[in-house]
């Protein structure tokens, strides 16, 4: 997604104003004139000032090319059905992992996510299944057993070593 | 002299050498995995070292950390995924070299100059530790405040295209750093009642998102071809390194020296050393326009700097028991455990052990060359894997890495959000490295600013009252003022076409 | 009908057999030990030594898992919300008695099954080695004479060492605001600032200050406990030095989620007592200068109850409690 600097600048300016306003509600350190709000205020002022500069440059650039560049333009790939769907799918799969891994566990979810992506990107089924299973087990052994990262055990809790 | 011989005998014992080899492999693996840091490598070693004699215990830690900091360069260079924050400063440069088919040269420079930087830092540790530690201990929040300000300036220097966009992403990073409870006031900020946000946003999952997830999205989704194939990556990793060392001898020396110094400061470590070294390299380079396009010069200097910082961090740790970074914080505990109480007297009371530590430092930096060579050779095979198999696997490794940082799915969520942010920023020509810089330096900036004000009862002049602070402050203000003055001069010249 | 009752009978038999069996066989799979602080810190080190000794004792792997952030809120929450089956335990720290007063969480010590108190490190009163005061009494007199002049550091705002000095001042009838607190990320940066001349007092624990005391950069004036520390047997207690009965310590103890079955509690308490008395634990703790403390579930609860009330009072006086 290509967004004109004018739009980005204005959005960031709005964010800076919101941060500034919220920061004024933070309490001071007891016995001191400043506190939690001081640093976010400084950051908000800096971000706001430079966003105005960015928006101004975007505006200048548009004026120079006579407004030919769109304010917001979708990249070409979003209009190709396959690639656009893959983009969303990757995001959704990570989200699925966040929501379900505690219940289902690392091993089944990892195999599942890999298989879906392999299928979408045209990996041959036999290769895909083999790679998904082997690499998931490698990760389980390397991280959970050797490095002791508590990967969620999920439905395999009682089966796993 | 007897002590030195005794130290050699303890180090070159088959058991110790075996430990060194095993921890080298371990350090290389952990460092090369995004999400697993050198600090984590050390923490995991602690319960194991508990059952070892002092020298092998320290051997394991010294070797593993040195290898981990270098190994962070490998995924950064091949896949544009920095393995540790210390590699984030020059990851774009290294990846640009890979795309030119010069991955071998970039990685070779990484390993060779890491080793040189590490050895330089060790020489300083051996010869000047007590004196340097005295200086480092004089750094109060006033001095750190200016040092951090100088560090922030790097955002402008490392940005190739538009400095304005670099400053803006730096401010985004600074804002992200304010989220959470860990601020001088101890107040929750921008948490919206979430217990996860209370802990703030970790740099590691954010970094994985910004670099790796954004890249996965580009390749999987946008079908953008970025990776070079293995066939394009040719040559030996050590070829031409000698010429580089000769050509850039000033840079190597400067990077090693600044890295050691920054590492010795208790408030700054390898990651800040790498940023400052890279920015310095560009600032003083004869060909600054080549930076960011796959130019080796910056990698030489910052690669030396981050490994020098690892050695430098031991200076205040050994002399005063004050940790120079999060790794030495763990090391101090191990030192006590082994009866090697840190302090100025450690050099008198335990000369054999201290000499053994020094020998270990030299040794681990020397064996970095063969081990690094092996690691690079095998890691390079990654590029042979077809992209449609590689990218989903990277996604899965990133999920596990982001989870491992704090053993929580919150890390995976952070990774996802920053992946989208990174994708969007890159599409619109914003550099993403300054976001990481802002997140690392933001908390330090606030901490040192607020505590300085409390200490001086709100008097701003206190920032210039101490000699080192005044010096650093003036340098910082000069660096900031120069581009503004230059711009004004240029405008004036344009206005009066005489 | 008959078949159904048979099924019920069989099912109840299985259930009756399996429930106590679960507790008797405990543990049959790896145990997770949650640490609310970062890898490499003091709490992490204590947890890892307890973890490795527990692993030997129970014959099952003990995974030490760091859940950091939010001044310990995140990790303490993770322990409390684990399932009470003995496979999730954690190391609780002194902050448990502080964070709910600050309004950061609703968690209190009542949300856990206490297992054992394993360690306590009393606060010391440290100043620069070349400071002009010889005793804690001199220092207090100087604070009284120049309110606001002396700054102290060693933890974040409202952290344990902040409360240590604020409680002492309050106990002596001095306004806690007379010593402004300079927040720091732990004792090490605070001590460094003490040496660098940024602050005047660091009321952290003795092991934290040990290397700088031994290096002759820092001196300790008193310890806020009943007896002098093992490291420096000549150090006076606060009561000897000033007459103040104020005591503070950072402590660490093993807890489990609320509602842990009694047989599992007994098993864990027995294991902890064995660890606490073991030579390995003693060696580890004394080499790091950490104080060993023992308290079973009952003593541990009473200890937390008192500490909780004390901190509430101090935090209200400082203006941190909500």
């Amino acid at each position: 997604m290509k967004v004109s600097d004018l739009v980005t600048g204005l959005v960031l300016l709005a964010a800076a104003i919101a941060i500034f306003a919220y920061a004024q509600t933070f309490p001071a350190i007891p016995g001191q004139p400043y506190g939690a709000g001081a640093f976010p205020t400084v950051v908000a002022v800096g971000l706001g000032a430079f966003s105005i500069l960015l928006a101004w440059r975007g505006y200048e650039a548009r004026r120079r090319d006579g407004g030919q560049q769109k304010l917001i333009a979708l990249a070409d790939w979003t209009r190709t059905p396959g690639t656009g769907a893959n983009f969303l799918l990757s995001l959704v799969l990570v989200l699925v992992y966040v929501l379900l891994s505690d219940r289902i566990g690392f091993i089944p979810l990892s195999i599942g996510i890999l298989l879906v992506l392999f299928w979408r990107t045209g990996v041959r089924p036999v290769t895909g299944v083999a790679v998904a299973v082997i690499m998931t087990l490698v990760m389980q052994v390397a991280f959970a057993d050797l490095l002791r990262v508590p990967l969620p055990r999920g439905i395999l809790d009682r089966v796993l070593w | 002299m007897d002590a030195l011989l005794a130290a050699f005998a303890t180090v070159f014992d088959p058991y110790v050498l075996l430990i060194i080899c095993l921890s080298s492999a371990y350090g290389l693996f952990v460092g090369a995995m995004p999400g697993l840091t050198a600090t984590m490598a050390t923490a995991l070693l602690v319960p194991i070292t508990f059952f070892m004699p002092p020298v092998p215990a320290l051997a394991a830690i010294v070797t593993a950390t040195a290898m981990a900091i270098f190994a962070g360069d490998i995924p950064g260079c091949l896949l544009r995924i920095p393995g540790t924050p210390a590699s984030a400063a020059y990851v774009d440069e290294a990846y640009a070299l890979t795309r030119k088919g010069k991955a071998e040269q970039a990685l070779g420079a990484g390993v060779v100059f890491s080793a040189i930087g590490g050895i330089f830092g060790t020489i300083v540790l051996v010869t000047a530790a007590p004196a340097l530690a005295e200086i480092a201990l004089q750094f109060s929040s006033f001095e750190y405040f200016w040092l951090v300000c100088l560090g922030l300036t790097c955002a402008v220097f490392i940005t190739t295209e538009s400095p304005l966009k670099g400053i803006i992403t730096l401010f985004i990073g600074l804002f992200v750093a304010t989220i959470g409870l860990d601020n001088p006031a101890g107040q929750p900020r921008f948490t919206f009642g979430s217990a996860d946000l209370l802990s703030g946003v970790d740099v590691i999952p954010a970094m994985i998102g910004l670099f790796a997830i954004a890249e996965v999205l580009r390749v999987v989704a946008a079908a953008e071809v970025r990776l070079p194939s293995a066939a394009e990556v040719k040559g030996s990793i050590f070829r031409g390194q000698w010429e580089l060392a000769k050509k850039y001898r000033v840079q190597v020396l400067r990077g090693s020296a600044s890295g050691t110094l920054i590492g010795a400061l208790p408030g700054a470590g390898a990651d800040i050393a790498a940023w400052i070294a890279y920015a310095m390299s560009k600032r003083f380079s004869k060909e600054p326009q080549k930076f960011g396009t796959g130019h080796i010069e910056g990698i030489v200097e910052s690669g030396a700097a981050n490994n020098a910082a690892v050695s430098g961090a031991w200076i205040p740790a050994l002399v005063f028991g004050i940790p120079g970074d999060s790794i030495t914080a763990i090391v101090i505990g191990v030192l006590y455990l082994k009866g090697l109480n840190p302090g100025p007297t450690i050099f008198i009371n335990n000369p054999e052990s201290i000499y053994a530590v020094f020998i270990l430092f030299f040794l681990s930096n020397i064996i970095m060359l063969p081990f690094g060579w092996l690691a690079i050779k095998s890691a390079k095979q990654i590029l042979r894997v077809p992209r449609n198999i590689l990218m989903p696997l990277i996604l899965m490794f990133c999920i596990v890495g982001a989870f491992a940082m704090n053993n929580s799915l919150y890390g995976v969520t952070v990774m996802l959000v920053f992946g989208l942010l990174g994708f969007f920023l890159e599409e619109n020509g914003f550099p993403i490295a300054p976001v990481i810089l802002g997140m690392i330096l933001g908390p330090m900036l606030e901490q040192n600013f607020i505590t300085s004000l409390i200490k001086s009862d709100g008097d701003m002049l206190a920032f210039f009252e101490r000699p080192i602070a005044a010096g650093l402050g003036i340098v910082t203000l000069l660096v900031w003022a120069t581009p503004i003055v230059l711009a004004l001069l240029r405008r004036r010249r344009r206005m009066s076409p005489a | 009908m008959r078949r159904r009752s048979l099924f019920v009978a069989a099912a109840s038999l299985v259930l009756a057999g399996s429930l106590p069996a679960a507790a008797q066989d405990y543990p049959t799979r790896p145990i997770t030990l949650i640490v609310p602080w970062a890898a490499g810190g003091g709490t992490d080190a204590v947890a890892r030594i307890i973890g490795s000794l527990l692993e030997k004792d129970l014959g099952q792997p003990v995974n030490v898992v760091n859940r950091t952030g939010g001044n310990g809120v995140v990790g303490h929450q993770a322990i409390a919300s684990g399932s009470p089956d003995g496979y999730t335990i954690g190391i609780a720290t002194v902050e448990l008695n502080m964070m709910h007063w600050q309004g950061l969480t609703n968690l209190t010590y009542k949300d856990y099954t206490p297992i054992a108190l394993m360690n306590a490190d009393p606060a010391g009163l440290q100043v620069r080695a070349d400071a002009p005061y010889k005793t804690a009494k001199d220092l207090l007199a100087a604070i009284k004479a120049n309110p606001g002049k002396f700054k102290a550091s060693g933890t974040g705002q409202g952290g344990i060492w902040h409360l240590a000095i604020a409680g002492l001042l309050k106990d002596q009838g001095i306004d806690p605001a007379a010593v402004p607190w300079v927040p720091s990320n732990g004792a090490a940066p605070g001590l460094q600032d003490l040496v660098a001349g940024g602050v005047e007092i660091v009321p952290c624990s003795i092991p934290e200050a040990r290397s700088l005391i031994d290096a002759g950069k820092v001196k300790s004036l008193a310890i806020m406990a009943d007896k002098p520390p093992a490291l420096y047997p000549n150090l006076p207690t606060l009561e000897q030095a000033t007459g103040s009965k104020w005591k503070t310590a950072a402590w660490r103890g093993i807890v489990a989620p609320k509602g842990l079955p009694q047989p599992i509690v007994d098993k864990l308490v027995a294991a902890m007592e064995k660890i606490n008395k073991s030579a390995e634990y003693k060696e580890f703790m004394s080499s790091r200068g950490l104080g060993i403390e023992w308290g079973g579930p009952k003593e541990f609860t009473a200890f937390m109850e008192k500490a909780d009330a004390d901190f509430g009072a101090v935090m209200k006086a400082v203006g941190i409690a909500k």
Side-chain angles (χ1 to χ4, degrees), chain B residues 139-140 320 406 447 451 455, chain C residues 67-68 183 192-193 198 211 217:
Chain B
F139 268 59
S140 168
F320 290 115
N406 200 8
Q447 177 78 23
T451 55
K455 281 188 265 183
Chain C
R67 291 294 305 274
T68 60
Q192 202 227 327
D193 216 3
S211 57
K217 294 271 175 193

Side-chain angles (χ1 to χ4, degrees), chain C residues 50-72:
Chain C
I50 292 177
S52 60
L53 295 173
L54 189 65
E55 186 168 314
K56 269 195 200 161
D57 191 52
L58 296 179
Q60 281 289 343
V62 176
N63 294 323
V64 176
V65 171
N66 301 90
R67 291 294 305 274
T68 60
N71 280 354

Side-chain angles (χ1 to χ4, degrees), chain B residues 267-328:
Chain B
D271 35 11
I272 296 175
W275 289 97
I276 291 189
Y278 184 78
M280 213 154 50
S281 181
K282 185 175 174 191
R283 179 68 187 78
F284 295 113
S285 170
K286 290 195 193 90
E287 326 163 274
Q289 74 284 355
K290 283 194 185 167
F291 275 69
T293 61
H295 185 55
I296 199 88
E297 188 177 351
I299 298 180
V300 168
E301 182 156 352
S302 42
N306 59 15
N307 273 68
V310 173
S311 309
W314 283 63
I315 293 173
L318 283 178
V319 181
F320 290 115
I322 294 246
D325 57 11
S326 48
I327 297 167
T328 40

Side-chain angles (χ1 to χ4, degrees), chain C:
Chain C
M1 186 69 189
R2 189 147 157 229
R3 193 178 285 171
R4 195 171 148 197
S5 61
L6 203 72
F7 175 77
V8 169
S12 55
L13 206 76
V14 169
L15 273 179
S18 72
L19 263 186
Q24 273 156 21
D25 297 347
Y26 170 84
T28 55
R29 56 190 168 91
I31 296 168
T32 300
L33 175 63
I34 296 176
V35 183
W37 302 95
T43 305
D44 180 65
V46 174
R48 283 180 196 275
I49 179 71
I50 292 177
S52 60
L53 295 173
L54 189 65
E55 186 168 314
K56 269 195 200 161
D57 191 52
L58 296 179
Q60 281 289 343
V62 176
N63 294 323
V64 176
V65 171
N66 301 90
R67 291 294 305 274
T68 60
N71 280 354
V73 172
V74 174
H76 281 99
Q77 180 67 58
I79 303 170
S81 50
S83 46
D85 54 8
Y87 293 100
T88 303
I89 58 176
I91 187 161
T93 61
V94 63
E95 282 74 13
L96 174 59
N97 287 335
M98 294 155 43
M99 54 207 191
H100 69 97
W101 293 108
Q102 288 167 275
L104 297 174
T105 171
N106 295 323
L107 283 176
T108 68
Y109 65 94
K110 290 178 186 139
D111 293 301
Y112 300 87
T113 308
I115 305 289
L117 179 64
M118 297 295 279
N119 144 267
D121 287 310
L125 200 57
Q126 280 75 238
V127 294
R128 228 182 344 273
D130 57 8
Y133 344 97
K134 293 218 159 42
T135 63
K137 210 168 189 167
D138 293 353
L139 177 65
L140 285 174
I143 292 171
K144 217 168 189 170
N146 310 291
K149 182 180 164 222
F150 293 85
K151 313 283 192 296
S153 184
T155 57
Q157 180 75 17
I160 169 71
W161 308 135
H162 183 189
L163 299 190
I165 189 151
L168 168 63
L169 296 175
K170 180 171 164 277
D171 184 70
Q172 291 290 296
I174 308 173
D175 179 9
V179 179
W181 187 256
V182 178
S184 73
N185 295 318
L191 284 163
Q192 202 227 327
D193 216 3
L194 180 72
V195 176
V199 297
E200 283 74 28
I201 307 164
V202 175
C204 67
S205 75
I206 299 294
E208 288 170 317
R210 178 182 173 191
S211 57
L212 283 171
I213 294 177
D214 291 344
K217 294 271 175 193
V218 166
K219 66 182 175 190
S220 185
L221 298 177
I223 183 162
M224 306 187 194
D226 303 330
K227 50 181 197 296
L231 280 174
Y232 306 107
N234 295 327
L235 187 65
T237 66
L238 195 61
E239 194 169 358
Q240 288 165 348
T242 66
S244 167
K245 285 197 169 17
W246 173 252
K247 293 180 187 67
T248 324
W251 53 264
R252 302 174 177 109
I254 299 294
V255 296
K258 198 177 178 173
L260 191 67
Q262 197 56 41
I264 297 183
V265 174
D266 294 342
K267 196 149 190 177
L268 281 172
V269 172
M272 286 303 153
E273 189 158 13
K274 211 159 126 196
I275 291 170
N276 197 283
K277 307 273 182 289
S278 72
E280 285 106 326
Y281 188 69
K282 280 191 181 136
E283 191 204 320
F284 178 89
M285 297 298 274
S286 69
S287 70
R288 296 198 57 155
L290 297 170
I292 298 180
E293 196 79 29
W294 170 253
K298 214 176 264 163
E299 297 92 329
F300 191 13
T301 312
F303 175 86
M304 285 197 282
E305 202 175 336
K306 179 174 183 309
D308 198 64
D310 280 356
F311 282 151
V314 176
M315 291 173 84
K316 279 187 192 124
V318 186
I320 303 166
K322 287 235 165 101

